[in-house]
Amino acid sequence: MRQPAPLKALSHPFLSIVVPVYNGGEAFRACLSAIRRSHFQNWELIVVDDGSSDRSAQIASEFGATVLSTHQSQSGPGFARNVGAQVAKGQYLCFIDADCEVNSQTLNRLAEVLRKDLTLDAVFGSYDDAPKATNFVAQYKNLLHHYTHQTGCEDASTFWAGCGAVKRSTFLALGGFDTQRYSRPSIEDIDLGYRIKQAGGKILLAKQVQVKHHKAWKLNSLIKTDLFDRGIPWTQLLLDSRSGMINDLNLQVSSRLSVVAVYLLLLLGLSSFYSPQAVWGLLLVAIALLILNQDVYRFFRQKRDLSFTLKAILMHWLYYIYSGLAFLIGNYLHWQEKLGKDRAVTKTLFDH
């Protein structure tokens, strides 16, 4: 295979592209290849290998990247990004996930946004509407992510590290990603965004900045990730946060109402076995769910066929079911932790 030409070292690059990787495979090679083909070239490339057992580190070296190691297996992407940030020379840290592929204009558009508004502390984009994996669950998940970011508020309250940039000075001042709280892939990027906003920083959701996602989601891994790595810790973060319930991205009021509606739908579905009249209530709630989410369902229909859309609606309702479960568990864990702290304080006072 032809080796990529060596990178020309830049002493003060505009972007320090940091890519954390663990057994990246062919998606990782596509990621690095796309970065090299980018029209924007004022960057350095830093790859942080998180204990891979495949050739990820060697592949990164072949592409001329500065290759670092976490020196242990699976410390998590947050830890790996922090390692890369420590040696970065750029004005901005640009985080790209190892399974994401930039297009020829992604970095250009990112740099244009940052140069246009010097008050920005962070910028992030979204997946495009043509994910690499062709299975239904992967298509659904990536399209939903694309829709959520494309319809979100540009003055953002959060951050996304799949394709996002942060002022290096801001990142270091805030201590980077919180690896004590998030030692595995979770919501460490959302947490960083909240801390940037709480410190008075400015974050932009740049909808024209997009990447292609390669991950082939499966149903069980999707539910597990959404529930344990996102929904539950996100609920805990919101309850701990001074900002409270933020109406941003997939935390809109319509989403919260949909969670209530889908549980009412389940209740009426069970009731219909004993009371035929409950069917009418079931129908009304189903219509309400369709109306509350009509924009996203219309989006699915525009992008895919009717069969896909019908399956996507059922998947979306399933998402609301386990999102509600995540909210309940997150609340329980939050108040258990708070109660434990209160008891510890009380015990300390009595001991003295």
Side-chain angles (χ1 to χ4, degrees), residues 237-255:
L237 177 62
L238 285 168
L239 292 171
D240 291 341
S241 174
R242 295 175 185 174
S243 58
M245 297 293 285
I246 298 173
N247 188 35
D248 195 14
L249 292 181
N250 52 345
L251 295 176
Q252 295 98 336
V253 173
S254 61
S255 296

Side-chain angles (χ1 to χ4, degrees), residues 22-23 101 140 213:
Y22 173 73
N23 291 344
E101 182 181 340
Y140 158 79
H213 197 204

Side-chain angles (χ1 to χ4, degrees), residues 13-50:
F14 186 71
L15 298 176
S16 289
I17 301 175
V18 179
V19 182
V21 64
Y22 173 73
N23 291 344
E26 287 306 309
F28 177 55
R29 184 181 291 276
C31 168
L32 299 186
S33 180
I35 291 171
R36 290 295 303 269
R37 294 195 306 269
S38 174
H39 289 178
F40 182 82
Q41 290 291 311
N42 189 1
W43 46 261
E44 63 173 341
L45 178 59
I46 300 169
V47 171
V48 186
D49 180 43
D50 193 17

Side-chain angles (χ1 to χ4, degrees), residues 217-289:
W217 284 106
K218 298 294 190 296
L219 183 59
N220 59 340
S221 62
L222 174 62
I223 294 175
K224 182 180 177 182
T225 297
D226 279 351
L227 186 60
F228 295 105
D229 294 332
R230 297 190 64 79
I232 294 173
W234 200 344
T235 298
Q236 293 175 282
L237 177 62
L238 285 168
L239 292 171
D240 291 341
S241 174
R242 295 175 185 174
S243 58
M245 297 293 285
I246 298 173
N247 188 35
D248 195 14
L249 292 181
N250 52 345
L251 295 176
Q252 295 98 336
V253 173
S254 61
S255 296
R256 299 173 204 167
L257 290 175
S258 294
V259 171
V260 175
V262 80
Y263 274 91
L264 183 57
L265 192 73
L266 289 175
L267 181 62
L268 289 167
L270 292 173
S271 300
S272 65
F273 288 103
Y274 308 99
S275 174
Q277 291 82 3
V279 173
W280 294 106
L282 187 74
L283 182 61
L284 288 174
V285 174
I287 292 172
L289 273 167

